[in-house]
Amino acid sequence: MISPVTNPFFFEDPRALTEVRPIFIYQAIPGSSPVASGSLFWYGTQLRAALTEKISLTINKLGGIGATGSATAPLDQNTFDSNGFSEFWLTPKWTFFRDERNGTVAAGGLQIQVPGSSNVYQNTGNLGLTPFASVGQTFLRSSYGAFNTMGMFGYNFGANNLRSDYLLFSAHLDYDVANWHKIYPFLDLNWSHVTSGGSNIPLLTVSGADLVNFGGASSTNANQLTLAPGMRYKFSENIQTGIAFEFPIAKPQETLLNFRLSLDVIFRY
């Protein structure tokens, strides 16, 4: 199997892994956005440590975030058009099922989100929590290759009412070309749905999804649904890279995502 490239902060591989994973994300804001124009970018790394075959610890988000462009009310231009430390996310994970013969693996965990700097709205509320479950499956093996799929479902909520709460779902499908274990074209689907807007910014209708939790008071029922084709290439089992091009397929005006380019490199031990 390969790890997903898109939605990297939430879409957790169900396997217990030990790795260092630098990530770069560039995101263009849609011209239809009522509150901002320009782009967002994230740069940093993820760290994973498999303590046993079942218990692992992930630092999902460790890095910086920036925005270039302009913002209108209710967003603040000085806070939006800046750079700073992103939120810090930490996840203990339990891989409770692993069947290598049938290619099945499943895990559950709890993501802990600690606020970062005030720049680009990284300090909303005092804590976020995301319980989640993820599963992976290999199927249709043949001499030409094999399909692999992964899925994740979770619910993000804040410890107080400043942050917006939302449902999360991600699905991944890839193909191991010719069973070379090197070239994996893939297609990802990512969805988030705000169940309850926060109280941090009155009248804000836009959701920042995985990059920014604005806590918009009027963002309830905002959706982000995206599709992402991409490719992962394994130089070896220890070194691999991935690229994905992500775009919305429903209501881009409710989000800050018009187009996203995601790049990563994995150094696995």
Side-chain angles (χ1 to χ4, degrees):
M1 293 182 179
I2 61 167
S3 297
V5 176
T6 66
N7 199 16
F9 310 124
F10 283 117
F11 200 172
E12 182 67 17
D13 191 313
R15 297 171 293 178
L17 302 168
T18 298
E19 64 184 28
V20 178
R21 183 186 181 189
I23 297 172
F24 174 77
I25 294 172
Y26 169 81
Q27 178 171 310
I29 298 172
S32 58
S33 171
V35 294
S37 62
S39 58
L40 296 166
F41 49 92
W42 192 94
Y43 47 91
T45 192
Q46 292 184 333
L47 303 171
R48 289 180 173 81
L51 308 179
T52 70
E53 286 190 352
K54 293 187 176 182
I55 304 299
S56 59
L57 188 66
T58 299
I59 296 178
N60 305 76
K61 187 183 278 193
L62 177 63
I65 187 171
T68 58
S70 61
T72 60
L75 294 182
D76 178 78
Q77 172 67 16
N78 293 328
T79 303
F80 177 81
D81 188 12
S82 58
N83 296 271
F85 290 106
S86 72
E87 293 182 328
F88 176 79
W89 293 9
L90 177 71
T91 301
K93 184 177 68 180
W94 174 37
T95 301
F96 57 83
F97 186 82
R98 182 185 177 98
D99 183 348
E100 292 189 23
R101 173 175 292 183
N102 293 309
T104 308
V105 61
L110 177 66
Q111 189 176 87
I112 302 165
Q113 304 170 347
V114 180
S117 65
S118 60
N119 306 64
V120 200
Y121 296 95
Q122 294 297 293
N123 65 338
T124 305
N126 51 24
L127 185 69
L129 299 170
T130 306
F132 70 91
S134 61
V135 62
Q137 178 68 55
T138 299
F139 64 101
L140 293 180
R141 291 188 180 103
S142 73
S143 58
Y144 301 102
F147 286 96
N148 301 287
T149 185
M150 282 189 185
M152 182 280 297
F153 182 79
Y155 184 67
N156 177 259
F157 62 94
N160 55 32
N161 62 359
L162 290 176
R163 298 172 68 89
S164 297
D165 302 338
Y166 47 94
L167 290 167
L168 298 153
F169 174 75
S170 288
H172 165 92
L173 177 67
D174 70 67
Y175 189 69
D176 181 3
V177 176
N179 294 312
W180 290 333
H181 310 316
K182 283 190 174 293
I183 302 172
Y184 295 81
F186 66 79
L187 186 66
D188 288 354
L189 179 75
N190 298 302
W191 172 74
S192 65
H193 172 78
V194 179
T195 59
S196 177
S199 60
N200 186 51
I201 306 179
L203 304 179
L204 184 65
T205 60
V206 171
S207 166
D210 57 338
L211 289 181
V212 185
N213 192 322
F214 290 110
S218 300
S219 63
T220 302
N221 293 324
N223 288 278
Q224 179 169 293
L225 180 62
T226 65
L227 198 63
M231 179 83 69
R232 187 174 288 288
Y233 180 80
K234 288 184 177 181
F235 299 96
S236 68
E237 286 300 319
N238 302 105
I239 303 176
Q240 49 193 276
T241 187
I243 184 171
F245 302 91
E246 190 170 2
F247 51 89
I249 54 177
K251 297 183 178 179
Q253 71 274 11
E254 293 184 351
T255 76
L256 293 182
L257 193 155
N258 184 53
F259 168 83
R260 176 183 286 189
L261 171 67
S262 299
L263 299 166
D264 72 8
V265 180
I266 296 176
F267 301 95
R268 188 165 290 167
Y269 303 94

